[in-house]
Amino acid sequence: MSTLVSAPTTPPATTAGRLTEWRPEDPAFWAAGGARVARRNLYVSIFAEHVGFSVWSLWSVTVLFLGPEYGIDPAGKFLLTAVPAALGAVLRLPYTLAVARFGGRNWTIVSALLLLVPAVPMAVLIEPGVSYATLMVLACLSGVGGGNFASSMANINLFFPERLKGRALGLNAGGGNLGVPAVQLVGLAVLATAGAAYPRLVPAVYLPLIVLAALAAARWLDNVPGARNEPGALRAAARDPHTWVMSMLYVGTFGSFIGFGFAFGQVLQLQFHDRFPTPVDAAWLTFLGPLIGSLIRPVGGQLADRLGGARVTFWNFVAMAAGAGLVLYAAREKSFPLYLAGFLALFVFSGIGNGSTYKMIPAIFRARAVAESELTGDPEAAQRRARRLAGAVIGIAGAVGASGGVLVNVAFRQSFLASGTADAAYLAFIGWYALCFLVTWVVYLRPGPRTLVGV
C-alpha cells in the first residue's frame, strides 16, 4: 500500500526584489512565509503612499502662507488647490496600470522619486515676488502624489488572499489618506514656529521623507511574478453602466473628502475672518476634518460588510446632504459652532462613504456573476470575469472620483466670485448628494426583478 506524502512548503524566495513564486490563496504557502512577506510590503506601501498623499495635499497648506505680499485673491487661491486635484485624478488610471507593467516595487521607487519634482522647486522658489504662473505650475506638479494611491492599492491587492484583501486595502487606503492631515499639521508647526514668511519649509520637511520612501521601497518591497493587466478589461468596464454610476457616487464621497481637505482652511478664513484673522488661527482646525475622515474610512467598509454597501451608501448620502444643509444654515446665521459641526460631519460621512462605495464595486460584479453562472452553467468563468471587471472599474472610478476635488474647489471659487459667500457652493453640494442617494436607490435598492442581490 502506497502512502501519499505532501511536498514541503518552503518560504517565498526573492531574487533582486522579485518573488520567484507567489500563491497567497495556498494556506500552506501563506503560513510558511507568505503572510510575513505580504505584511512587510503592506507596511512599506502605507508609508510611501502616505508621503504621496502629503505631497498631493501640500497646497492646502501652502495657500495659507500666501499673504497680501503675494497679490493673490481668494479666487486665485482656490485655483491653486484645484489643479493638483486635477492632475492627481488624471494620473490615477496610468498609475494603476503601471504596477503590472513595471512591477510594484519598481514603480513605487519611481513614483516616490517623482514626488521630488514638485517638492524641490517649491522649497526653492516660493517667496514674495514669485509669479502666479510659476505657482500654478508648481501646484499642478504636486498632483503626481495623487497617482500614488492608485498604484499602491493595485500593488497591495496582489499580495493578499481574497479573505484578507478588505482589511489590507482598508489599512493601505486609511494610512495614505492620513497624509492630508499630516501635511496640515506640518504646516501648523511651521506657522507656529517660523511664521508665515517661510512657506518653503513645508515641502522641505518632506524631501528626506520622499528619499526615505524610495529607499524603503528598494530595500523591502517585492515585484509579484505573473502580474499583468487584463487585456480588454478597461474597454469592457468603460462600456458597463455600473462603472459610471459608481464613478458618480465616488465623486460624492472621495471627491468631497479630498476637495474639502484642500479647501477647508481657505473657507474658514473667508467665512469667519474675524475669528481667523491669520493663517495660524485657521491651521489649528484645518487638519481635524481630514484626520477624522481618514480614520473613519475603514468603518464604512465594515458597515458595508454587515448591512450592505448600497444601503450604507444611500443613508450616508442622506447624512451628507443634511451636513451640507447645516453648513449652509450656519454660514448664513454666522454660527461658528454649527458651521464646524456641519463641516466635520461632512468629513465623517465622506470617509464612511469612501469605504462603502469601494466595497460596492466587487459586490456588484459578484452578484452579476451568480446570475450569469445560472445561465451559462460555468460559475468559475463568471467569477473570473467579475474579478476582471471589478478591478478595472475600481481603477476608473478612483480616477473619476478624484476629480471631485477639482469640482469642490471650483464651486467655492465661483461662489465667492459671484456673491462673496459660499452659499451657492453649499447648495450645489446638497443637490449632488441628493442626486447620489436617489441614484443609489433606483439602481441598487429599489425592489424589482433586476435588483442585484447582496450589493
Side-chain angles (χ1 to χ4, degrees):
M1 186 173 101
S2 63
T3 303
L4 295 176
V5 180
S6 59
T9 301
T10 57
T14 304
T15 303
R18 181 181 179 85
L19 294 163
T20 55
E21 60 174 343
W22 190 247
R23 294 178 281 111
E25 300 294 346
D26 179 348
F29 180 86
W30 186 253
R36 174 179 48 80
V37 171
R39 285 194 299 269
R40 185 186 71 228
N41 278 267
L42 174 62
Y43 299 150
V44 176
S45 176
I46 289 173
F47 173 64
E49 185 197 340
H50 178 93
V51 175
F53 247 95
S54 293
V55 171
W56 192 22
S57 308
L58 272 172
W59 284 85
S60 69
V61 173
T62 304
V63 292
L64 299 179
F65 288 84
L66 304 182
E69 64 274 19
Y70 287 86
I72 305 172
D73 63 9
K77 291 182 181 180
F78 279 119
L79 277 183
L80 288 173
T81 51
V83 290
L87 183 62
V90 169
L91 290 179
R92 280 190 162 204
L93 199 52
Y95 269 53
T96 299
L97 300 176
V99 169
R101 176 67 180 82
F102 302 107
R105 169 182 177 269
N106 300 343
W107 185 249
T108 303
I109 296 169
V110 171
S111 63
L113 292 175
L114 283 173
L115 300 175
L116 294 172
V117 174
V120 170
M122 282 181 68
V124 174
L125 297 176
I126 299 180
E127 61 182 5
V130 64
S131 71
Y132 184 71
T134 300
L135 294 177
M136 282 288 285
V137 171
L138 294 177
C140 185
L141 288 174
S142 67
V144 296
N148 288 25
F149 173 86
S151 57
S152 179
M153 294 291 278
N155 186 41
I156 290 305
N157 186 60
L158 299 172
F159 278 95
F160 286 83
E162 288 294 331
R163 71 183 189 281
L164 299 177
K165 281 184 190 291
R167 182 175 181 274
L169 292 173
L171 289 171
N172 197 53
N177 288 357
L178 283 170
V180 182
V183 74
Q184 291 167 349
L185 284 170
V186 170
L188 172 61
V190 172
L191 283 168
T193 55
Y198 298 96
R200 61 178 65 183
L201 289 180
V202 181
V205 167
Y206 278 91
L207 296 179
L209 295 177
I210 292 169
V211 174
L212 182 59
L215 291 174
R219 175 63 180 85
W220 288 298
L221 288 189
D222 301 294
N223 294 321
V224 174
R228 64 190 182 94
N229 294 312
E230 292 283 354
L234 284 176
R235 286 193 298 274
R239 293 193 295 266
D240 195 302
H242 289 287
T243 300
W244 305 109
V245 172
M246 292 310 303
S247 295
M248 172 191 171
L249 300 184
Y250 206 52
V251 167
T253 56
F254 181 77
S256 294
F257 170 80
I258 199 67
F260 293 147
F262 283 12
F264 190 36
Q266 294 183 76
V267 175
L268 277 179
Q269 281 199 285
L270 291 169
Q271 294 270 202
F272 297 93
H273 183 68
D274 56 335
R275 185 180 285 264
F276 302 103
T278 67
V280 70
D281 295 315
W284 281 106
L285 288 175
T286 299
F287 75 94
L288 268 182
L291 176 63
I292 294 170
S294 300
L295 292 176
I296 207 165
R297 176 173 179 147
V299 174
Q302 292 166 4
L303 287 173
D305 284 339
R306 292 173 53 191
L307 305 174
R311 186 180 301 173
V312 173
T313 298
F314 172 82
W315 288 110
N316 191 75
F317 276 121
V318 172
M320 290 184 75
L326 179 59
V327 169
L328 174 61
Y329 172 80
R332 289 177 171 175
E333 297 297 318
K334 305 296 183 184
S335 172
F336 177 70
L338 283 179
Y339 185 86
L340 182 61
F343 237 118
L344 291 181
L346 284 173
F347 277 109
V348 166
F349 292 115
S350 66
I352 291 174
N354 283 342
S356 65
T357 50
Y358 226 72
K359 282 282 189 175
M360 283 177 68
I361 294 173
I364 289 166
F365 291 97
R366 279 198 303 269
R368 288 209 334 204
V370 171
E372 181 183 327
S373 63
E374 290 175 355
L375 294 174
T376 63
D378 190 348
E380 185 176 337
Q383 289 293 339
R384 189 164 55 247
R385 172 178 163 78
R387 287 193 296 269
R388 176 173 171 263
L389 281 176
V393 172
I394 285 173
I396 294 173
V400 176
S403 68
V406 184
L407 299 177
V408 167
N409 282 272
V410 169
F412 278 127
R413 177 181 186 272
Q414 294 306 117
S415 184
F416 279 110
L417 275 177
S419 63
T421 72
D423 289 7
Y426 301 138
L427 287 169
F429 301 150
I430 293 169
W432 185 262
Y433 301 145
L435 179 61
C436 285
F437 69 66
L438 284 172
V439 168
T440 304
W441 167 260
V442 170
V443 179
Y444 299 114
L445 292 175
R446 183 178 57 174
R450 302 184 67 181
T451 301
L452 295 173
V453 179
V455 176

